[in-house]
Amino acid sequence: MSRPDHVFKLLLVGDAGVGKSSMLLRFTDDTFEEHMASTIGVDFKVKTIRVGELTVKLTIWDTAGQERFRTLTSSYYRGCQGIILVFDLTSQQSLLNIQNWLKEIDVFTAPPEPVKLLVGNKADLPDEREVSDDDALAFARVRGMLYLEASAKTRAGIRQAFEEAVRRILDTP
Ligand code: GDP
């Protein structure tokens, strides 16, 4: 493939177990593991996508399990254009904790501010769901984020989430 028009760094953040690695592997390799050990994690993956007329090369970073020890540092955040904040739709607490992730992002990122997108993962588990669409939308709206729901298991919303992050980055002046 010819040279990309853009190269962007994206990050996935959110509590351990919400499905960040699963979303990344679904997007890049189209695989899903039902019993992925959440300690394994992935460092980063590279994927090139087309958005409209443009070719965009993405380097997408996952926390590789380090979020459990809250040892993410400024070097993880450095130079990123977009951050996908992930919570688990079956865990109200994982949405509340997004507030802490936003604080950390504030501390560790410098202008120009990265684009932030909120994703509720595990939409395939309606019976276990703890977070309604309305609650997630309201949470995102007051914090100036776009909200999408997804399922790494069924693929629903995964490609859309990454593409939307890219579109927002491209739209940022
Ligand atoms: P991470 O710690 O945030 O990277 O989360 P993982 O990707 O390791 O996922 C934690 C657990 O949730 C694993 O057992 C996954 O199989 C499961 N999981 C991840 N995404 C989904 C999903 O969309 N639906 C369901 N049902 N399970 C998921």
Side-chain angles (χ1 to χ4, degrees):
M1 203 184 294
S2 57
R3 255 168 54 117
D5 298 296
H6 297 278
V7 181
F8 293 142
K9 176 180 175 182
L10 296 184
L11 304 184
L12 291 160
V13 305
D15 287 0
V18 297
K20 300 180 297 298
S21 304
S22 299
M23 286 177 56
L24 181 53
L25 290 174
R26 175 58 89 193
F27 181 59
T28 58
D29 300 1
D30 199 15
T31 59
F32 177 78
E33 301 223 3
E34 194 74 53
H35 301 291
M36 182 142 70
S38 64
T39 46
I40 294 176
V42 181
D43 286 327
F44 72 92
K45 289 260 177 190
V46 179
K47 186 175 170 85
T48 300
I49 60 170
R50 298 276 304 171
V51 178
E53 299 286 293
L54 298 172
T55 305
V56 179
K57 182 175 174 179
L58 298 174
T59 311
I60 310 162
W61 289 77
D62 183 18
T63 54
Q66 293 172 83
E67 77 281 25
R68 297 187 311 144
F69 312 107
R70 300 210 52 91
T71 53
L72 300 190
T73 57
S74 55
S75 61
Y76 180 68
Y77 289 98
R78 191 166 301 137
C80 76
Q81 286 84 13
I83 302 179
I84 299 179
L85 293 113
V86 184
F87 72 96
D88 176 345
L89 285 162
T90 72
S91 161
Q92 173 79 31
Q93 191 60 48
S94 72
L95 175 60
L96 296 176
N97 289 343
I98 290 290
Q99 190 58 39
N100 300 329
W101 289 106
L102 287 168
K103 273 190 215 145
E104 180 167 305
I105 290 167
D106 254 4
V107 170
F108 285 129
T109 60
E113 296 300 327
V115 162
K116 283 172 267 175
L117 190 80
L118 182 67
V119 175
N121 187 43
K122 309 196 188 182
D124 58 283
L125 299 172
D127 296 344
E128 294 167 46
R129 193 169 171 132
E130 289 187 4
V131 180
S132 73
D133 231 14
D134 282 354
D135 287 351
L137 273 168
F139 183 97
R141 194 177 299 125
V142 296
R143 292 162 180 83
M145 293 185 285
L146 187 78
Y147 171 65
L148 295 170
E149 67 169 51
S151 166
K153 184 170 180 175
T154 67
R155 297 186 180 84
I158 297 295
R159 192 169 44 79
Q160 290 86 336
F162 287 95
E163 287 183 2
E164 193 55 42
V166 169
R167 264 189 231 106
R168 295 246 154 170
I169 295 167
L170 291 169
D171 285 347
T172 304

